[in-house]
Amino acid sequence: MYQDERMEAIVNYIKQHDRVDVETICKMNNVSRDTARRDLVKLEEEGKIVRTRGGAKFPTFYHEVFNYDQRLKKDSDAKKRIGSFAAGLIQDGDHLLLDVSTTVQFLAENLKTERNVVVTNSIDIAGILSRKEKVSIHLLGGLLNNEHRSIYGARTIQHLSDFRVNKLFLGACGISSNGLTIPFEEEGFLLKEMIKRSDQVIVLADSTKFNRSYFQKVCGLEDIDILVTDQEMDSHLTTILEQYEVETIIL
C-alpha cells in the first residue's frame, strides 16, 4: 500500500471514530510503528490531523481564514443551497440583520419578499440588495476591511445599537459544542451586538464549519434559534444542539 493510500485510510478512520492510535494504524495498514508515525507526521505537516500521545485526531482550533473572494468560491454549491433555503424563511415586511458571511450573501441574492428592511455591515450584500425593488437598506458605518468586504469598529457597534429586528442571519467560521467562533475579535464584538438586537438568531453554516474553534467566541449554542446546514453532524454535536432546543434544518 502506497503512503497516500495509507494516509487516506487514517483520515477516513478518524472521521468515523474521532481519533486513532498507532496500534490501530499498524493493524489497519499492516505497517510497522515507525511507518505509522511517519504517516502521521506527513498528515500533520499537511494540516489534516494533530498528533496526540500515542495517536492522532482532527484539529479543532484554527487561526487562518481565506479572504472574502476565496471564501465565496469555497464549498459554493452547499452555500448556495443553504442561502436559497434561508431566503424562504423571510416574510414580507420582516426587518433583518445580515452579517458579512458569504453564505448570507447567497441568501441576499435569493431574497424575493417585499417591504423588507435590512441592516448589514457587508458592502457586497448592500450592493446586491440595492438592485432589488422594495427593500430598504441600512449600511452600517465604520471602518472598511477591504480583504473581508466588511464594515467594523466601535462606530459600527454604536450605529447598530439604534436598531431592533425580527431576524438575524449570520454565518460562522466554526461551530462546536462551545458555540460559534470566528478569528477576529472586532468582528466578534459586532456579532454579539447583532444577537442582542434580534428576536430570532438563524445560523447558516455548511458542514466544513462543524467542530472547528477559532480565537473569538461569538455566542453559545443556547443563543441560536435555527441552524441551517447541508449535512448531518456527529452525534455529540447533534445531542448538544437538541439539549439547547436549536431547530436544525439539514438540506
Side-chain angles (χ1 to χ4, degrees), residues 92-223:
D92 289 347
D94 274 347
H95 286 52
L96 311 169
L97 260 171
L98 304 182
D99 89 331
V100 75
S101 159
T102 52
T103 310
V104 176
Q105 176 174 323
F106 289 118
L107 176 155
E109 292 175 357
N110 285 278
L111 186 67
K112 295 180 172 63
T113 48
E114 298 181 348
R115 303 187 315 280
N116 295 121
V117 177
V118 177
V119 181
T120 185
N121 66 319
S122 166
I123 59 175
D124 291 285
I125 288 176
I128 290 167
L129 294 178
S130 70
R131 297 190 290 272
K132 296 180 181 289
E133 296 182 0
K134 300 180 181 179
V135 177
S136 176
I137 306 161
H138 294 260
L139 180 61
L140 296 171
L143 295 171
L144 172 64
N145 184 316
N146 290 325
E147 184 178 7
H148 297 292
R149 312 289 293 167
S150 64
I151 307 294
Y152 72 101
R155 289 184 180 274
T156 316
I157 295 173
Q158 183 180 16
H159 190 184
L160 179 60
S161 67
D162 293 333
F163 299 111
R164 185 79 197 177
V165 300
N166 304 116
K167 298 169 183 175
L168 163 63
F169 290 87
L170 75 159
C173 292
I175 179 167
S176 69
S177 58
N178 293 320
L180 303 186
T181 54
I182 58 175
F184 309 114
E185 186 177 25
E186 287 283 359
E187 186 179 352
F189 293 149
L190 179 60
L191 292 178
K192 288 175 187 288
E193 186 66 24
M194 285 185 172
I195 291 170
K196 291 179 184 178
R197 298 289 149 197
S198 308
D199 290 337
Q200 187 178 50
V201 176
I202 304 171
V203 175
L204 311 182
D206 64 81
S207 58
T208 63
K209 312 298 174 55
F210 299 159
N211 296 312
R212 287 192 171 212
S213 295
Y214 287 82
F215 175 69
Q216 178 70 24
K217 182 175 180 178
V218 174
C219 69
L221 298 180
E222 67 275 10
D223 296 314

Side-chain angles (χ1 to χ4, degrees), residues 85-91 94 167 169 200 202 204 226 228 249:
F85 177 89
L89 300 176
I90 299 171
Q91 299 177 346
D94 274 347
K167 298 169 183 175
F169 290 87
Q200 187 178 50
I202 304 171
L204 311 182
I226 299 174
V228 184
I249 300 171

Side-chain angles (χ1 to χ4, degrees), residues 227-238:
L227 169 64
V228 184
T229 187
D230 62 315
Q231 291 185 24
E232 294 278 354
M233 291 155 280
D234 63 63
S235 57
H236 177 64
L237 186 54
T238 298

